[in-house]
Amino acid sequence: ININLLVQGDNPLPVTIGRVYRLFRNLDLDEPGDLTAALIDWIDSGDDEYRILRLPDEQDINVTGAETAYYERLENPYRAKNAPFDSLDELTLVRGFTPEVLQKVAPYLAVFGNDKINLNTASAEVLMAADDMIDRSAAEEILSRRLDQPFESPSEVTTIPRLDTLLHANFAVKSSMFQITADAAVNDGTRRAVAVVSSDGRKVHYMKVD
């Protein structure tokens, strides 16, 4: 789930907000709404803390975001970025994203890519975050079916039991980007390289070597 798509310009996007909120809720994180709001405030250019989380079903949730006023009160103060994330490493700066929280959420978040969920590659957790209609049983059915035959069209997801009315336009069957992780070991030394590349291999969007 691309967290940079929580905001477009300075306008929060309900579809991505719903996905992030559901992911955090399904992972049993404390205050999933406040965590989502803190991400929005980190990206948008305003200085007013986000207070109402509007989900795609028009349900409103009262939340408490975090802007520069909060971060400047910390022992080592800094300002909210008020711009998109360059990498997931920045999450360590956002209120509420402790090492324990990061360990739970990092496998399912990204800062690149479009707003489509790939039926052929998404994890069960991301599939369930995509829409409230997709429960654990439906997600496992999607994973099981693609093992036998990859989905060739997003509309095929509506053949899954209880998903016949699912809005399949939010899904895809191909990805425009992939993350590559490479580990190397020599004697007692190890290094890890992580790269995000376009699916045609022509552009590297991100590279980090530890």
Side-chain angles (χ1 to χ4, degrees):
I1 301 171
N2 184 354
I3 55 177
N4 279 330
L5 296 180
L6 283 164
V7 177
Q8 188 173 58
D10 273 333
N11 299 315
L13 298 180
V15 170
T16 309
I17 289 173
R19 291 173 179 174
V20 172
Y21 173 78
R22 281 189 291 269
L23 175 67
F24 293 168
R25 181 197 64 193
N26 294 345
L27 292 175
D28 294 324
L29 300 182
D30 293 333
E31 306 297 342
D34 288 355
L35 289 173
T36 306
L39 293 178
I40 295 171
D41 280 336
W42 188 259
I43 298 170
D44 69 16
S45 64
D47 291 324
D48 295 327
E49 293 182 352
Y50 205 61
R51 293 296 184 183
I52 299 178
L53 203 66
R54 174 152 292 179
L55 302 180
D57 59 4
E58 298 186 356
Q59 175 187 2
D60 288 347
I61 300 175
N62 292 325
V63 295
T64 302
E67 280 288 356
T68 292
Y70 166 81
Y71 298 111
E72 287 185 335
R73 295 194 298 268
L74 299 177
E75 183 177 352
N76 297 307
Y78 51 91
R79 299 182 61 82
K81 186 177 184 181
N82 291 342
F85 287 87
D86 291 314
S87 75
L88 288 179
D89 294 337
E90 290 179 34
L91 285 173
T92 60
L93 300 173
V94 180
R95 190 203 64 197
F97 286 85
T98 64
E100 293 77 18
V101 170
L102 283 172
Q103 186 176 21
K104 289 185 176 182
V105 305
Y108 313 114
L109 301 181
V111 298
F112 301 103
N114 57 36
D115 61 349
K116 306 297 183 184
I117 301 297
N118 188 338
L119 293 169
N120 288 319
T121 59
S123 64
E125 286 75 15
V126 170
L127 290 168
M128 290 188 293
D131 196 287
D132 274 323
M133 291 182 64
I134 304 179
D135 57 13
R136 174 65 65 174
S137 176
E140 294 293 347
E141 175 64 23
I142 292 172
L143 267 59
S144 175
R145 187 172 298 189
R146 76 190 191 195
L147 284 176
D148 296 326
Q149 178 66 43
F151 290 89
E152 296 183 358
S153 168
S155 63
E156 292 178 20
V157 72
T158 60
T159 64
I160 301 292
R162 301 181 304 282
L163 300 185
D164 55 305
T165 60
L166 183 69
L167 184 61
H168 62 265
N170 290 331
F171 296 87
V173 294
K174 296 181 179 180
S175 294
S176 60
M177 296 187 190
F178 289 95
Q179 177 173 297
I180 300 171
T181 302
D183 293 306
V186 178
N187 298 323
D188 293 332
T190 61
R191 301 291 294 274
R192 166 167 289 189
V194 177
V196 177
V197 301
S198 59
S199 58
D200 59 11
R202 295 181 179 178
K203 183 175 182 179
V204 177
H205 298 269
Y206 172 80
M207 170 73 81
K208 179 181 180 182
V209 179
D210 293 324

